[in-house]
Amino acid sequence: MGEAKRIDGKAFAAALRGRLAVAAGDLKDRHDLTPGLAVVLVGDDPASQVYVRNKVAQCAEVGMESLEYRRPADISQGDLLTLVEGLNDRRDVHGILVQLPLPDQIDPAAVLAAIDPAKDVDGFHVINAGRLATGQDSLVPCTPAGCMLLIKDTLGGGLSGLDAVVVGRSNIVGKPMAQLLLRENCTVTVAHSRTRDLPAVCRRADILVAAVGRPHMIGADFVKPGATVIDVGINRVAAPDKGPGKTRLVGDVDYAAARPVAGAITPVPGGVGPMTIACLLRNTVIAACRQAGVAPPDV
Ligand code: NDP
């Protein structure tokens, strides 16, 4: 058996950003519309700071506005809600993202519920989750949206009737991923920590999406020959070969073991990860167009 195709999410995300830059330029020229993203960062979690910096930098790269709101870790829930409500009212802000996690005194559900669903570019609001589940236009969570773009690019239009298995049932990845696959007429199984004989369930999958958070859990014996394997997991593990105290990122899939069996597979890093921010920008463009009454570009 040959090696699976390596699905290059980094290159796909760069190409998507290129298309978004063209679309943003077109919106500016034809409609005097510049999509604007407001990013709210509470506290000083180093990982969150890196994510926010990347989001702001990539907005600039595609010609979109970004506004960054940094607030101290001891901000009250009331003050944070007031900030979100102010952003809801601003016409130049088309997307609002509150970086998670939030400090303990703040209920993340209350904050997410306060975001105008039309500006909910993370797609986490219950209105958007409900719209996705009932087949209506919605803002789709960025990571599963990015996975779906990679799956369609790999398999072309022919997803109808394929068996898809999603391992993980979180609200931000597993469940919306299952909805998107169902929308494409896949036969979808959602597996989780109580699933019996997970390898056998996974071996049924023409499309296998792993969103678990357990390094290298999915081995070769989970993969049907020729399957498309999408690894959402991002796990930091010790890398003694790189030196004492060093770490590296690995996925939920044992890439080296699964690649000889799969038909196509995403690496970690460089697979799903880069697609997430690109899809955030895409959602912001879509949200801006809908708010302005302009047809969203097909990107
Ligand atoms: P959650 O912790 O919210 O969900 C994990 C899911 O995996 C749960 O449904 C859980 O089942 C299931 N699970 C846990 N252990 C097992 C097991 N042994 N067998 C089968 N299922 C299991 O994680 P997220 O969905 O937020 O994230 C998943 C992974 O994706 C993480 O590594 C995260 O870092 C990564 N991620 C990557 C992103 C990207 O940009 N590429 C974005 C978001 C997440 P149960 O419900 O029964 O507990």
Side-chain angles (χ1 to χ4, degrees):
M1 208 175 309
E3 288 239 300
K5 176 191 167 200
R6 178 180 178 278
I7 301 173
D8 189 344
K10 193 172 171 197
F12 193 100
L16 176 55
R17 288 197 301 276
R19 295 195 296 278
L20 288 167
V22 171
D26 192 50
L27 289 172
K28 176 84 189 143
D29 293 346
R30 291 179 41 204
H31 302 284
D32 196 24
L33 176 63
T34 302
L37 173 68
V39 184
V40 179
L41 175 59
V42 179
D44 43 23
D45 175 55
S48 293
Q49 290 190 5
V50 172
Y51 293 143
V52 166
R53 205 180 313 135
N54 287 341
K55 287 166 186 174
V56 168
Q58 292 193 19
C59 275
E61 186 194 319
V62 302
M64 288 168 38
E65 284 294 334
S66 63
L67 301 157
E68 205 178 322
Y69 293 85
R70 289 176 177 256
R71 292 294 181 268
D74 61 356
I75 188 174
S76 70
Q77 178 159 315
D79 285 351
L80 188 55
L81 291 176
T82 303
L83 171 62
V84 168
E85 282 153 16
L87 295 172
N88 283 343
D89 291 339
R90 280 182 61 157
R91 289 178 61 89
D92 59 335
V93 170
H94 305 99
I96 302 169
L97 180 150
V98 179
Q99 185 66 47
L100 301 176
L102 290 167
D104 289 347
Q105 77 274 16
I106 293 170
D107 172 13
V111 176
L112 296 181
I115 297 172
D116 179 347
K119 299 189 177 186
D120 167 40
V121 282
D122 258 338
F124 295 162
H125 196 290
V126 287
I127 293 279
N128 280 317
R131 283 178 168 273
L132 177 63
T134 52
Q136 301 175 57
D137 272 350
S138 66
L139 289 166
V140 176
C142 304
T143 299
C147 292
M148 189 44 104
L149 289 177
L150 294 179
I151 292 168
K152 283 186 171 172
D153 186 61
T154 302
L155 293 173
L159 305 193
S160 184
L162 294 183
D163 282 317
V165 174
V166 180
V167 191
R169 56 175 163 178
S170 71
N171 290 333
I172 64 170
V173 188
K175 280 183 198 148
M177 187 73 245
Q179 297 289 356
L180 290 174
L181 290 160
L182 193 57
R183 197 164 78 180
E184 296 299 323
N185 298 316
C186 293
T187 302
V188 183
T189 303
V190 182
H192 45 78
S193 65
R194 314 292 170 88
T195 297
R196 289 189 206 154
D197 198 356
L198 187 63
V201 171
C202 291
R203 272 197 306 275
R204 293 207 301 262
D206 302 303
I207 300 167
L208 177 60
V209 181
V212 183
R214 294 173 74 98
H216 287 177
M217 188 189 90
I218 307 284
D221 56 327
F222 290 60
V223 180
K224 175 177 176 174
T228 297
V229 180
I230 306 292
D231 190 355
V232 181
I234 299 179
N235 309 289
R236 190 166 284 285
V237 297
D241 55 307
K242 287 169 71 180
K246 297 286 183 193
T247 60
R248 68 161 52 88
L249 294 180
V250 300
D252 292 340
V253 178
D254 183 343
Y255 183 85
R259 192 171 182 192
V261 188
I265 184 167
T266 59
V268 177
V272 173
M275 293 298 292
T276 297
I277 298 185
C279 286
L280 172 70
L281 305 181
R282 183 172 178 259
N283 272 354
T284 306
V285 169
I286 292 169
C289 290
R290 287 185 185 150
Q291 284 160 52
V294 172
D298 186 18
V299 286

